Amino acid sequence: MDEAATETCAGGETPASSAPPSSGPAVDRLALDAIYEIAKTFATAPDPIDEVPNILNVLSSFLDLRHAVLALLSEPGSEGAWGTVNPYTIAATAFVRDKAADPSEVIPDEVVRIVFRSGVPLVSFDLAEEFGPDAVPARLRGEGQTMIAVPLRDPERSHFVLGVLCAYRSHEDQRAGLSDLDVRVLTMVASLLEQALRFRRRIARDRERALEDTRRLLQSVSDQNGNKVPPISLDGIIGDSPAISEVIAQLRRVAPTRTPVLLRGESGTGKELFARAVHTQSDRSRGPFIRVNCAALSETLLESELFGHEKGAFTGANALKKGRFELADGGTLFLDEIGEISATFQSKLLRVLQEGEFERVGGTRTLKVDVRIVAATNRDLEDAVARGEFRADLYFRICVVPILLPPLRDRKSDIRPLAQLFLDKFNETNATNVRFAPDAFETICKCNFPGNVRELENCVNRAAALSDGEVVLGGELACRQGSCLSAELWRLQEGASPIGGLAVGRVVTPSIRRSVAERPVERELPPDPAESFPRRKTANTAREELIAAMEEAGWVQAKAARLLGMTPRQVAYALQKHGIEVRKI
């Protein structure tokens, strides 16, 4: 018995024959019956996605559309998310499959990519001929297959493609007009699924709103009883979430001491703000707070900036210059992006951190300073130490008290007060009186903000600057207009956006298919060896890393410069500095 005959419909009924009749009206009646069964299932489903396997079995039982598959874009942070081989997952199938298997084993990767990008249905009348024999799933090989794939759109934003619904039909079952009917049926099924998802989202949104109203009511009662807990505000740090409360508690405990602090967290979490808080809460608050961005300076300039230089120490040193360590004497020195300094400079920095002594560049007199070090990084220093890129002794010197700053997505209750703060700053700076409507705040509070607080501030300023009136509506936000960079980045598929720009309901013709397939896709190029090396802005490169890059580039200095993110002149200088002889190949 073949696979289609073993699959049963969701309503428990099986047509008399597993193969559709040859007459047109009979096939149309079966299609109508299938849509009716599918609509009934979606109407009562608490989770539409969980019912999709039953829906796919209905298509197999009524219309003999076999091996049906639903592929959805991966959610950020989940298994199979962006950056992996396939940025989509198989959400449902009409058959049993190994979940650990690659998605391309049940649906051709190139077909999925085309539908995601074009946003229109695709029909491949001979899958093996058009996309190669390997594109045909293993269980369907041995006979010709027609593939029909239609897009599944975002229920809230129809121009976003969230998934692909596809099914196969054997060449033995081909009749005139049957493929057109298959496209219409699958498109209707996708529309029913979109409507079910929209309804479920609205229910979830109403539930969240009810829970929020209940929380506010309880908070109001607590305030009236005199139990109001004021939001935490410490030197510009605002928030009342458990994550930020724990960080501030750690900060208050460690600030009065002289212990070095290492602030860790993603870019945009406000590491400099927390470093200033450590300084102002300490007994050094009357002393200077000096900041240095270690990633913005080359090794030579960084040494001069931190230690200073004597007059005539090098070309252009026309006068004595005090370094940041001298300027921070009696106060706090904030070393931002400390994970980016070179191995050579790490040894120089270690001495001053251990002994509090150093010499200016070009000088011989030893200077002694009393400086508290607060460092910050968004790198995995433990991994860098394991790979020999960061000195272990320096790591243990700066990482005495590590404080992990939570990303904004882990402290969502702080988004609203932060957004209001940024809006107030915008109004004060620009002499305006812009306000956010409730739906605008609601939309902002649901964002993940991968750029964290910095991205939130940019989002608020953009919305306030582009608003047509004094009230910013939810529809005016970038994410609601399809122009939010973060929202687009979540949907990047192998270097190209899956947002469809063609008319809904058109079937992809061979010419359209070729034009879509020929669009430049970064991931289709051979892997760039530069991904193996950290990008740098200077000639501050370790000897081993430089040799590795030169060998990867076949000892071509221009290519090695591209791999390292340097200029050919910087590579030539680094080769001369380390005494590396250029090989002739």
Side-chain angles (χ1 to χ4, degrees), residues 262-269 271 294-295 335-343 346 375-391 394-395 398-399 402-405 531-536 540 542 545:
L262 177 62
L263 300 174
R264 314 189 67 168
E266 299 177 6
S267 178
T269 50
K271 289 186 279 291
C294 300
L335 299 177
D336 196 10
E337 302 294 349
I338 195 170
E340 304 300 325
I341 61 177
S342 68
Q346 289 173 25
T377 183
N378 58 9
R379 290 190 62 188
D380 184 353
L381 290 186
E382 290 79 9
D383 181 63
V385 170
R387 288 184 285 130
E389 297 178 359
F390 199 85
R391 292 178 63 107
L394 178 59
Y395 167 80
I398 63 175
C399 190
I403 297 180
L404 181 62
L405 306 184
E531 296 177 357
S532 304
F533 301 92
R535 296 191 61 81
R536 299 174 181 269
N540 179 20
E545 183 181 356

Side-chain angles (χ1 to χ4, degrees), residues 110-171:
E110 186 175 355
V111 171
V112 177
R113 192 182 309 124
I114 290 175
V115 177
F116 270 129
R117 294 178 188 173
S118 65
V120 297
L122 178 148
V123 175
S124 175
F125 293 100
D126 193 329
L127 188 61
E129 181 179 350
E130 292 193 48
F131 296 98
D134 293 339
V136 181
R139 66 176 62 203
L140 295 180
R141 292 173 186 171
E143 56 181 297
Q145 296 292 332
T146 294
M147 180 181 185
I148 305 96
V150 299
L152 179 70
R153 300 182 180 277
D154 190 314
E156 304 295 335
R157 291 167 291 182
S158 60
H159 54 287
F160 285 148
V161 178
L162 293 183
V164 175
L165 177 64
C166 78
Y168 300 82
R169 183 178 294 282
S170 171
H171 285 179

Side-chain angles (χ1 to χ4, degrees), residues 1 25 103 116 122 392 408 411 448 465 532 570 581:
M1 182 178 296
F116 270 129
L122 178 148
L408 196 54
R411 42 181 293 212
N448 284 323
S532 304
Q570 288 175 324
E581 183 179 354

Side-chain angles (χ1 to χ4, degrees), residues 145-442:
Q145 296 292 332
T146 294
M147 180 181 185
I148 305 96
V150 299
L152 179 70
R153 300 182 180 277
D154 190 314
E156 304 295 335
R157 291 167 291 182
S158 60
H159 54 287
F160 285 148
V161 178
L162 293 183
V164 175
L165 177 64
C166 78
Y168 300 82
R169 183 178 294 282
S170 171
H171 285 179
E172 298 177 358
D173 185 37
Q174 294 298 320
R175 275 173 295 277
L178 199 54
S179 295
D180 293 337
L181 176 65
D182 294 338
V183 172
R184 293 198 301 271
V185 169
L186 288 181
T187 301
M188 285 188 284
V189 172
S191 298
L192 290 172
L193 180 55
E194 292 167 7
Q195 296 296 329
L197 290 174
R198 179 184 292 111
F199 181 70
R200 183 170 177 269
R201 286 188 183 182
R202 289 180 178 177
I203 292 177
R205 190 181 300 120
D206 292 341
R207 180 176 178 273
E208 291 177 2
R209 187 180 295 111
L211 292 175
E212 179 66 18
D213 292 342
T214 302
R215 188 191 67 81
R216 291 177 181 174
L217 179 60
L218 294 175
Q219 184 67 40
S220 177
V221 173
S222 178
D223 295 344
Q224 293 176 1
N225 293 334
N227 299 326
K228 182 177 180 180
V229 179
I232 298 174
S233 179
L234 177 64
D235 297 318
I237 303 172
I238 295 177
D240 58 0
S241 64
I244 204 66
S245 300
E246 182 179 353
V247 170
I248 292 179
Q250 289 179 315
L251 188 148
R252 282 176 169 159
R253 286 194 297 267
V254 74
T257 69
R258 304 182 63 177
T259 308
V261 176
L262 177 62
L263 300 174
R264 314 189 67 168
E266 299 177 6
S267 178
T269 50
K271 289 186 279 291
E272 182 176 355
L273 188 64
F274 283 89
R276 287 185 181 274
V278 172
H279 172 72
T280 57
Q281 295 296 308
S282 69
D283 55 3
R284 298 171 176 261
S285 57
R286 295 187 178 181
F289 176 81
I290 306 298
R291 175 187 178 277
V292 180
N293 189 337
C294 300
L297 301 171
S298 65
E299 180 179 338
T300 304
L301 291 178
L302 185 59
E303 183 177 4
S304 175
E305 283 293 322
L306 288 179
F307 304 145
H309 61 256
E310 298 287 349
K311 179 179 180 181
F314 50 83
T315 303
N318 300 322
L320 182 145
K321 176 184 177 181
K322 291 185 177 182
R324 303 294 178 92
F325 272 101
E326 284 185 79
L327 297 177
D329 191 18
T332 303
L333 178 62
F334 176 47
L335 299 177
D336 196 10
E337 302 294 349
I338 195 170
E340 304 300 325
I341 61 177
S342 68
T344 303
F345 190 74
Q346 289 173 25
S347 59
K348 298 178 181 179
L349 183 61
L350 181 63
R351 181 197 170 198
V352 66
L353 295 185
Q354 287 178 337
E355 309 295 338
E357 298 178 348
F358 65 94
E359 293 86 29
R360 298 192 189 105
V361 177
T364 58
R365 185 165 62 95
T366 300
L367 304 177
K368 192 172 183 66
V369 293
D370 177 21
V371 175
R372 182 184 189 170
I373 298 297
V374 178
T377 183
N378 58 9
R379 290 190 62 188
D380 184 353
L381 290 186
E382 290 79 9
D383 181 63
V385 170
R387 288 184 285 130
E389 297 178 359
F390 199 85
R391 292 178 63 107
D393 45 4
L394 178 59
Y395 167 80
F396 291 117
R397 191 67 188 174
I398 63 175
C399 190
V400 179
V401 178
I403 297 180
L404 181 62
L405 306 184
L408 196 54
R409 60 181 174 274
D410 291 343
R411 42 181 293 212
K412 287 202 169 185
S413 61
D414 298 337
I415 293 180
R416 186 180 183 112
L418 284 170
Q420 186 62 56
L421 173 66
F422 295 141
L423 185 61
D424 293 341
K425 287 183 178 180
F426 177 88
N427 288 330
E428 181 179 355
T429 303
N430 298 278
T432 56
N433 188 30
V434 180
R435 305 186 310 277
F436 274 171
D439 64 330
F441 268 125
E442 182 181 351

